[in-house]
Amino acid sequence: MRKYLLIGVSAFVLGAGAMAYVSPIAQANNAPKTKTYKMLELFGDVLGTVEDQYVTEVDDKKLIEAALDGMLTSLDPHSGYLSPDSYEDMQDTTRGEYGGLGLEVTSEDGVVKVISPMDGTPASRAGVQAGDYITAVNGQSVLGLTVNEAVKQMRGQPGEAVTLTIARDKTDPFDVKLVREVIKPKAAIARMEGDYGYVRLPGFNEKATDALVASINELKTKNPKMKGLILDLRNNPGGLLDQAVGVADVFLDGGEVVSQRGRDPRNIQRYNARPGDLLNGMKMVVLINQGSASAAEIVAGALQDRHRAELVGLTSFGKGSVQTVIPLRGGADGALKLTTARYFTPSGRSIQKTGIAPDLEVAQTRDQAQDIANRVWFSEASFKNALNADEGKTRVGVHTPAEAPPTAFDDKKGDFQLQRAIAVLNAGGVANTPKLPKPAAKVAEVTAKAAAAAAGKPVSENK
């Protein structure tokens, strides 16, 4: 509180001094503030009119909370106002335990959109996919609700049934019935894949780094001849920054992991790894896909830039912004989730919108390969009000991916991306890995025509 008071006093003193000597300039400087006060007065007028004339009685608290959230979400998709209940829910999530369905969601034009289902949760088992729209919960529309309001409807007592209405590309809307569970996403899942260790991180909650270290130590103890490691970050929606730095630190022998830069370009905060690599330089591959976001992208980008691991899979989500949670009155009035900076990899690459491109691009299924060739995949760049990417940089558009499962591969049962990661380890790197024939997926003709038209080339309708 004292800090805010000092800022206010300083502003008053500077303003008074300026008025004493150059009052015309002071009046010009005060003009933006005067405009702000008028707009706040307008807000009060609108609120009063709604209170007096709306068809039914209104809840002032809900109206003001909605206004606060609307103000913040207009800035970018990841800023928002958290009510006291939502703030408590967020704390439960980062601690790694809560009652719900296991979905990471966001909002797009007033519609709830799935970023990623979490492994081993009701949503994952029911087949909910990244990019799905949730239009109703238990038959009640969630269109136009804030993300926090929609999430509140999906969370609740374990054992209760919940019906989600899903809208998915190329299909009619359909209902999915789930049962709430106590969501305790495993901080790490570990096993051996032949000669190589495999560790999957479903998210970056408070337990991620410790669970990763414990898993690797257990794998090494039980398999002293382990030759390498596969770190699976697919469909990992991210989480806590300190855990992203901690996970990268496990594999890096000192040096930069990530930097963040705010409004002032001179204000750069760097996060470094400590000396010591738990694997002592053992070969590594990191699996990523379009559901790998935020903290997962920080780890993947750091290990790629530092030449500690090669990446296999698909270009990541592209969520390269930093959200600072600012409690209001100690959380009694909720909190602000405010975008305050952008992430940059050790080489200075911004993750925002463009994502992290793999060293070996591999579609998981033949259908996925065709989808990538037909349409732009859901990502950070899909949001209309997403922060801009680095100047001159754009996310890869529709294209035929480099690799996809051959016809003989059963992509319903097998994990093709994992198989290719093992092939990279066996070969000693992507450059030495025998490449597969280009997938049969073709870029849709309508897309090709649109690209040609945009380039000013003649387009034939007779093809």
Side-chain angles (χ1 to χ4, degrees):
M1 187 67 186
R2 185 180 177 189
K3 179 180 178 183
Y4 296 111
L5 183 61
L6 286 172
I7 290 172
V9 170
S10 299
F12 175 79
V13 172
L14 289 172
M19 286 182 67
Y21 295 101
V22 282
S23 59
I25 296 176
Q27 290 171 9
N29 288 340
N30 286 337
K33 287 294 182 186
T34 302
K35 187 176 180 181
T36 300
Y37 296 145
K38 284 184 177 179
M39 295 306 294
L40 288 172
E41 186 178 348
L42 173 62
F43 176 80
D45 291 343
V46 171
L47 181 62
T49 302
V50 171
E51 287 176 329
D52 293 340
Q53 300 186 29
Y54 189 67
V55 65
T56 62
E57 293 224 0
V58 296
D59 184 329
D60 286 355
K61 183 172 181 288
K62 286 185 177 180
L63 285 177
I64 294 171
E65 285 182 349
L68 291 172
D69 193 57
M71 174 179 67
L72 292 162
T73 55
S74 72
L75 299 173
D76 69 86
H78 307 294
S79 293
Y81 170 72
L82 302 173
S83 68
D85 287 345
S86 297
Y87 178 49
E88 187 175 344
D89 287 344
M90 186 208 70
Q91 291 175 306
D92 289 342
T93 301
T94 57
R95 282 193 292 265
E97 184 175 325
Y98 57 93
L101 305 175
L103 282 170
E104 181 78 12
V105 296
T106 188
S107 178
E108 184 181 57
D109 295 333
V111 183
V112 178
K113 197 165 190 177
V114 176
I115 292 178
S116 178
M118 300 176 189
D119 286 353
T121 62
S124 176
R125 293 194 297 270
V128 180
Q129 299 178 8
D132 284 349
Y133 291 98
I134 300 172
T135 60
V137 178
N138 290 330
Q140 296 294 314
S141 173
V142 294
L143 300 178
L145 296 185
T146 67
V147 172
N148 296 328
E149 290 170 335
V151 167
K152 192 171 183 178
Q153 292 193 25
M154 287 184 271
R155 287 189 178 179
Q157 289 298 316
E160 292 180 346
V162 181
T163 299
L164 302 183
T165 302
I166 302 290
R168 182 179 294 168
D169 189 40
K170 299 181 182 177
T171 66
D172 293 330
F174 57 94
D175 289 343
V176 176
K177 190 171 183 178
L178 310 96
V179 176
R180 291 190 185 103
E181 295 179 0
V182 175
I183 303 298
K184 293 183 179 179
K186 291 185 178 179
I189 301 160
R191 64 176 185 266
M192 290 297 294
E193 290 285 344
D195 293 331
Y196 304 109
Y198 168 94
V199 179
R200 168 154 178 75
L201 289 181
F204 284 84
N205 61 32
E206 294 175 356
K207 304 172 184 175
T209 303
D210 290 343
L212 173 67
V213 171
S215 296
I216 291 175
N217 284 333
E218 185 176 355
L219 287 173
K220 288 167 61 180
T221 300
K222 292 182 177 179
N223 307 275
K225 294 184 179 180
M226 187 173 80
K227 295 181 179 179
L229 183 78
I230 298 164
L231 178 64
D232 191 349
L233 299 179
R234 291 175 295 179
N235 294 322
N236 182 317
L240 299 173
L241 172 61
D242 66 330
Q243 293 300 307
V245 174
V247 167
D249 184 12
V250 170
F251 307 110
L252 294 173
D253 186 12
E256 186 172 311
V257 173
V258 67
S259 64
Q260 62 181 52
R261 308 174 193 183
R263 182 188 299 183
D264 185 346
R266 296 168 298 179
N267 184 15
I268 301 175
Q269 188 168 357
R270 302 185 187 277
Y271 297 88
N272 296 315
R274 297 164 298 180
D277 171 1
L278 187 60
L279 292 177
N280 295 316
M282 192 181 292
K283 294 184 295 184
M284 276 189 71
V285 165
V286 178
L287 285 167
I288 60 171
N289 66 4
Q290 69 281 2
S292 306
S294 191
E297 294 175 284
I298 289 174
V299 173
L303 298 182
Q304 185 184 53
D305 276 8
R306 299 286 304 280
H307 306 292
R308 181 62 187 88
E310 291 187 293
L311 311 186
V312 172
L314 298 173
T315 300
S316 62
F317 187 78
K319 197 266 184 184
S321 58
V322 185
Q323 280 69 52
T324 301
V325 177
I326 306 169
L328 302 173
R329 214 161 56 85
D333 289 333
L336 303 184
K337 187 176 67 168
L338 191 65
T339 298
T340 55
R342 285 182 171 89
Y343 290 127
F344 290 82
T345 68
S347 67
R349 290 185 294 164
S350 171
I351 298 167
Q352 181 61 18
K353 278 191 176 179
T354 54
I356 303 292
D359 298 289
L360 178 62
E361 184 187 35
V362 180
Q364 179 73 331
T365 66
R366 292 180 290 278
D367 287 345
Q368 188 181 62
Q370 188 58 61
D371 281 345
I372 293 169
N374 283 350
R375 60 188 174 90
V376 176
W377 206 264
F378 171 61
S379 70
E380 178 78 6
S382 305
F383 296 116
K384 292 179 181 177
N385 66 332
L387 292 178
N388 289 330
D390 271 359
E391 187 175 351
K393 293 184 180 179
T394 57
R395 187 181 180 87
V396 62
V398 291
H399 65 286
T400 302
E403 291 190 3
T407 306
F409 186 84
D410 185 352
D411 56 25
K412 302 294 184 185
K413 297 180 180 179
D415 186 338
F416 187 67
Q417 290 173 333
L418 176 58
Q419 285 200 7
R420 295 304 288 157
I422 293 171
V424 169
L425 289 173
N426 283 333
V430 169
N432 302 324
T433 304
K435 302 302 183 290
L436 300 179
K438 195 81 170 175
K442 300 295 182 185
V443 176
E445 185 178 354
V446 64
T447 304
K449 288 180 179 179
K457 298 178 181 178
V459 179
S460 171
E461 296 295 332
N462 299 320
K463 288 184 180 179

